[in-house]
């Protein structure tokens, strides 16, 4: 679909028909801008009209226009670059909150290529930080990519008794999640989700600055025979969102 750089007259016309007279002006501005983005006419990276253009075209106070842009930025719809302009934000990778899915399948459903880099996969003695098994544990650290962009650091401990061949697997061909789902089918899982800053190593692996917030999921999964694995899944906040649903 072609991009559409709206003229002042077109902006004014669309603003006049957005919402109702009782709708706050800043919400009507958001409606106009979001309609262009949601329709695909303003694709990822497209530069929005400047605040000056919007103020002049719509006859609104700068404070009103600024609030609309700020709200869209807070919602992750646009990215503001001081001194440069405001641009349509890239789509964020969505991760399920209440289900345990294979990240490779998620990436492929979006029509993109998944790739895994293995930082290490090793056996560790008892007394390591997991503190969940009396004896030793398998420990893997991998980075998941969507095309060339790192989207998740997976730091996982596995019970050797329930997945004895874990370290022999090629996790560039099959993800740890996929392998464990085959050899120790999931019967129960637990999630704890936090917003935090990544460790220096995680930030380096994700190619993000140390000040960027991350979404972290601590996930435990059980098979019929017991606790199989404990994973710390770290996602850069600017590239990810969590999705879930529930019924009552």
């Amino acid at each position: 679909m072609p991009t559409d750089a709206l003229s002042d007259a077109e902006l004014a016309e669309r603003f006049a028909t957005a919402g109702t007279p009782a709708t706050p002006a800043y919400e009507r501005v958001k409606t106009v801008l979001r309609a262009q983005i949601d329709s695909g006419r303003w694709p990822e990276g497209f530069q929005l009209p400047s605040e000056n253009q919007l103020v002049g075209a719509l006859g609104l106070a700068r404070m009103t226009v600024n609030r609309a842009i700020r709200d869209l930025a807070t919602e992750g719809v646009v990215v503001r670059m001081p001194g440069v302009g405001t641009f349509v934000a890239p789509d964020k990778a969505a991760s399920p909150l209440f289900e345990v899915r294979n990240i490779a399948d998620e990436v492929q459903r979006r029509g993109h290529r998944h790739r895994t880099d293995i930082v290490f996969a090793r056996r560790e003695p008892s007394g390591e930080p997991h503190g969940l098994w009396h004896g030793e544990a398998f420990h893997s650290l991998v980075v998941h990519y969507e095309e060339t962009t790192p989207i998740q650091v997976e730091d996982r401990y596995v019970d050797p008794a329930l997945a004895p061949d874990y370290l022999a697997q090629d996790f560039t061909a099959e993800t740890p999640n996929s392998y464990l789902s085959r050899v120790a089918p999931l019967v129960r899982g637990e999630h704890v989700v936090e917003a935090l800053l990544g460790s220096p190593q995680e930030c380096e692996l994700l190619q993000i600055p140390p000040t960027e917030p991350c979404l972290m999921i601590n996930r435990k999964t059980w098979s019929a025979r017991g606790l199989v694995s404990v994973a710390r899944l770290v996602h850069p906040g600017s590239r990810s969102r969590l999705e879930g649903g529930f019924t009552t």
Side-chain angles (χ1 to χ4, degrees), residues 2-23:
T3 58
D4 184 359
L6 297 177
S7 68
D8 287 0
E10 289 171 320
L11 285 168
E13 179 182 357
R14 296 186 187 205
F15 177 77
T17 58
T20 68
T23 305

Side-chain angles (χ1 to χ4, degrees), residues 192-214:
V192 176
V193 182
E194 297 181 70
L196 44 66
L197 297 177
S199 69
Q201 182 185 31
E202 289 164 346
C203 292
E204 181 179 358
L205 293 173
L206 290 170
Q207 301 173 18
I208 59 174
T211 54
E212 178 170 331
C214 295

